[in-house]
């Protein structure tokens, strides 16, 4: 069964909401000497246009001087550039090391050109106040970019370089996420969405899904819980919702929801509920490697109960999907597991 993000509708919601709000401290923290965390504030259209103009101006200035222009942006692939703040998640530091794309280098000249081309496409979108999906941009220049993955990476690099969320660039993504429940809302274009009519369940969260969960917390301050498979991939998906990812660390304040609680399926639940061994799945070598990497993540140190659950999984070398609970009874998840956990506080 794929992962499910469950938003609780409880009689005690106000009490829990108060506790959660009180636990969130405000303000930007400083970690280590000179390691200030970056908060990417949305820029206005004129600011985005000006930032792009400055990059192009610097490029032409270098060429006029006979120098090779270089495009730089924070290196998102290095943990040395990331600091963990338990109120925000994984954030890029302001004095991070950078990636450099040089036009005189044969290995990077093509990427240098693609970045400039993408900046020109973004400039037109922002200037005309129009929007396009990443897919639209790719199909306008399929031979140039070669693949959607290449364009997606360039867009993220530009967001990091300009220190703005992607929505400020007027670039949208085709949402892959699903939302279901007792919720209705009106989108900016006036379209009214009734979430009770939808199905739910998805894997690794896309940007729109993460933005939606963050908006629900910002606007309603309701408790949010993650219900995932009891395996390393399920844990990682929850971590992305809660603390974010390295690749989007420059936009952590817009995407992470640090108050998310891990509702289940917990590795300890497998033992506690005596889930039959025949419905459990042995950890693969890839699972073990991922679990080892997860245990080294900076946020695990502030989550001792998470650490304990991972140790249980590591020891028993078994994982379980959510539907494993059906081995206890066909409606065990909805009739017993979820109601009791939500009522008695069975999350960590």
């Amino acid at each position: 069964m794929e992962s499910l993000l469950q938003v609780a509708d409880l009689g005690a919601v106000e009490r829990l909401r108060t506790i959660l709000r009180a636990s969130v401290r405000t303000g930007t923290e400083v970690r280590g000497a000179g390691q200030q965390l970056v908060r990417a504030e949305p820029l206005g259209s004129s600011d985005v246009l000006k930032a792009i103009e400055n990059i192009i101006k610097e490029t032409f200035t270098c060429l006029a001087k006979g120098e090779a222009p270089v495009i730089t942006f924070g290196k998102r692939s290095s943990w040395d550039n990331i600091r963990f703040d338990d109120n925000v998640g994984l954030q890029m530091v302001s004095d991070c090391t950078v990636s450099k794309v040089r036009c005189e280098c044969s290995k990077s000249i093509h990427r240098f050109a693609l970045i400039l081309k993408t900046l020109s496409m973004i400039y037109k979108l922002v200037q005309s106040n129009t929007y396009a999906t990443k897919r639209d941009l790719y199909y306008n220049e399929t031979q140039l970019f070669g693949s959607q993955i290449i364009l997606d990476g360039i867009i993220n690099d530009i967001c990091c370089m300009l220190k703005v969320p992607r929505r400020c660039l007027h670039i949208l993504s085709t949402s892959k996420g699903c939302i279901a429940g007792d919720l209705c809302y009106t989108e900016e274009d006036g379209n009214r969405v009734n979430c009770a009519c939808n199905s739910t369940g998805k894997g690794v969260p896309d940007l729109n899904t993460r933005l939606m969960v963050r908006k629900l917390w910002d606007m309603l301050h309701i408790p949010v819980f993650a219900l995932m498979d009891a395996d390393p991939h399920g844990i990682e998906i929850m971590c992305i919702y809660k603390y974010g990812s390295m690749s989007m660390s420059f936009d952590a304040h817009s995407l992470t929801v640090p108050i998310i609680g891990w509702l289940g399926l917990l590795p300890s639940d497998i033992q506690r509920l005596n889930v039959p061994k025949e419905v459990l799945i042995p950890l693969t070598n890839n699972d073990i490697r991922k679990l080892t990497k997860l245990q080294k993540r900076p946020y695990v140190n502030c989550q001792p109960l998470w650490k304990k659950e991972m140790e249980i999984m590591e020891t028993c070398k078994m994982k379980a999907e959510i539907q494993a609970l059906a081995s206890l009874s066909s409606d065990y998840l909805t009739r017993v597991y979820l109601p009791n956990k939500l009522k008695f506080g069975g999350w960590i």
Side-chain angles (χ1 to χ4, degrees), residues 83-339:
R83 292 295 178 271
F84 172 66
D85 181 328
D86 57 3
N87 290 314
V88 180
L90 300 177
Q91 280 191 286
M92 182 173 286
V93 297
S94 58
D95 56 345
C96 63
T97 57
V98 298
S99 296
K100 296 183 178 181
V101 183
R102 305 176 182 274
C103 78
E104 88 281 10
C105 177
S106 59
K107 293 183 179 180
S108 62
I109 187 171
H110 183 60
R111 190 170 185 84
F112 185 93
L114 292 182
I115 292 174
L116 291 184
K117 175 61 178 178
T118 306
L119 283 171
S120 72
M121 298 166 79
I122 292 170
Y123 192 92
K124 291 177 182 178
L125 289 174
V126 177
Q127 189 178 48
S128 61
N129 195 29
T130 55
Y131 290 80
T133 66
K134 294 188 296 181
R135 202 71 172 156
D136 292 334
L137 297 183
Y138 170 66
Y139 276 108
N140 283 336
E141 297 285 354
T142 54
Q143 292 186 346
L144 179 65
F145 289 107
S147 74
Q148 183 74 60
I149 294 175
I150 292 176
L151 175 60
D152 292 352
I154 288 174
I155 291 173
N156 285 339
D157 287 342
I158 291 175
C159 289
C160 186
M161 177 170 56
L162 301 181
K163 294 183 173 59
V164 297
R166 193 176 63 210
R167 58 190 177 277
C168 291
L169 306 182
H170 286 221
I171 297 177
L172 308 173
S173 63
T174 303
S175 182
K176 302 175 184 177
C178 297
I179 182 171
D182 188 13
L183 174 69
C184 292
Y185 66 92
T186 303
E187 296 181 330
E188 291 183 359
D189 61 3
N191 182 42
R192 186 165 177 80
V193 179
N194 183 359
C195 301
C197 301
N198 295 338
S199 61
T200 191
K202 216 61 177 177
V204 177
D206 62 1
L207 195 61
N208 286 349
T209 307
R210 293 171 63 187
L211 284 169
M212 183 62 177
V213 177
R214 174 64 191 233
K215 184 171 286 291
L216 286 172
W217 164 249
D218 284 341
M219 296 183 67
L220 304 177
H221 280 83
I222 56 178
V224 185
F225 301 106
L227 178 64
M228 334 294 297
D229 291 334
D231 63 20
H233 291 277
I235 296 173
E236 183 169 48
I237 290 171
M238 175 189 60
C239 291
I240 293 174
Y241 275 113
K242 187 177 178 72
Y243 292 131
S245 61
M246 288 179 64
S247 63
M248 298 300 292
S249 57
F250 59 87
D251 194 20
H253 280 269
S254 301
L255 298 172
T256 62
V257 188
I259 53 82
I260 286 178
W262 185 6
L263 189 64
L265 184 65
L266 303 177
S268 60
D269 289 335
I270 298 173
Q271 299 177 348
R272 181 175 59 85
L273 300 175
N274 292 319
V275 176
K277 291 184 178 180
E278 55 267 25
V279 300
L280 303 181
I281 306 170
L283 291 179
T284 65
N285 290 334
N286 286 337
D287 289 330
I288 294 173
R289 283 193 290 268
K290 182 173 286 293
L291 183 60
T292 300
K293 290 180 179 179
L294 283 170
Q295 290 172 311
K296 295 178 181 178
R297 297 279 174 87
Y299 40 71
V300 172
N301 289 331
C302 72
Q303 294 285 356
L305 295 181
W306 284 21
K307 187 174 182 179
K308 183 178 180 180
E309 293 294 334
M310 293 184 200
E311 289 172 352
I312 291 174
M313 184 182 296
E314 184 178 41
T315 300
C316 69
K317 292 182 169 51
M318 301 296 284
K319 60 184 179 180
E321 297 177 341
I322 297 173
Q323 68 258 37
L325 294 177
S327 63
L328 303 178
S329 68
S330 59
D331 59 350
Y332 189 86
L333 175 66
T334 56
R335 182 179 58 85
V336 180
Y337 186 84
L338 289 177

